[in-house]
């Protein structure tokens, strides 16, 4: 019977390292015109925050000039920023919403 030798190393698949998708913070910026009520409504509608969470974020924006609405993948963050811009424009507010990489 012939000797059977298998090369096990050739059967090992190189597994590519899976990388977490890059994450981005969505930020709201304070201005002198956008009402606090509108900011709370946007946070509840676009970012699905509770009224309490929305009020806390709104106060952070008001007092510190900027507040974090959430951390998302790039596509989700960009979509939320666009939604905020559209709602603000429709309501006649200059509310600024940006993203930054975490």
């Amino acid at each position: 019977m012939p000797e059977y030798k298998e090369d096990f190393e050739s059967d090992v698949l190189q597994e590519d390292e899976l990388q977490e998708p890059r994450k981005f913070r969505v930020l709201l910026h304070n201005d002198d015109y956008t009402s606090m009520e509108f900011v709370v409504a946007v946070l509840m509608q676009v970012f699905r925050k509770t009224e309490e969470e929305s009020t806390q974020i709104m106060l952070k924006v008001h007092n510190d000039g900027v507040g974090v609405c959430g951390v998302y993948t790039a596509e989700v963050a960009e979509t939320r920023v666009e939604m905020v811009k559209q709602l603000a424009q429709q309501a006649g507010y200059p509310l600024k919403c940006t993203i930054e990489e975490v």
Side-chain angles (χ1 to χ4, degrees):
M1 181 170 201
E3 189 176 311
Y4 184 75
K5 184 177 179 184
E6 190 172 321
D7 184 8
F8 288 105
E9 295 218 12
S10 66
D11 292 337
V12 175
L13 298 175
Q14 292 290 331
E15 193 174 311
D16 291 333
E17 282 190 40
L18 294 177
Q19 294 184 356
E20 287 287 321
R22 296 183 314 166
K23 298 287 187 160
F24 295 84
R25 282 184 200 96
V26 177
L27 307 171
L28 281 181
H29 301 267
N30 191 41
D31 63 68
D32 293 332
Y33 303 100
T34 305
S35 74
M36 293 179 179
E37 293 82 9
F38 181 77
V39 173
V40 169
V42 164
L43 288 162
M44 291 174 68
Q45 181 178 344
V46 175
F47 298 96
R48 297 183 178 97
K49 301 293 184 187
T50 65
E51 188 171 357
E52 184 177 325
E53 291 171 320
S54 299
T55 300
Q56 290 174 353
I57 295 168
M58 176 274 297
L59 289 172
K60 177 91 173 143
V61 171
H62 180 72
N63 294 324
D64 298 344
V66 67
V68 178
C69 304
V71 177
Y72 308 96
T73 59
E75 288 179 5
V76 173
E78 290 167 0
T79 300
R80 304 257 168 123
V81 167
E82 189 56 38
M83 291 170 71
V84 170
K85 287 181 180 180
Q86 288 179 6
L87 289 170
Q89 186 177 22
Q90 290 170 1
Y93 289 119
L95 183 60
K96 183 177 175 182
C97 188
T98 61
I99 63 173
E100 71 176 17
E101 192 165 358
V102 173

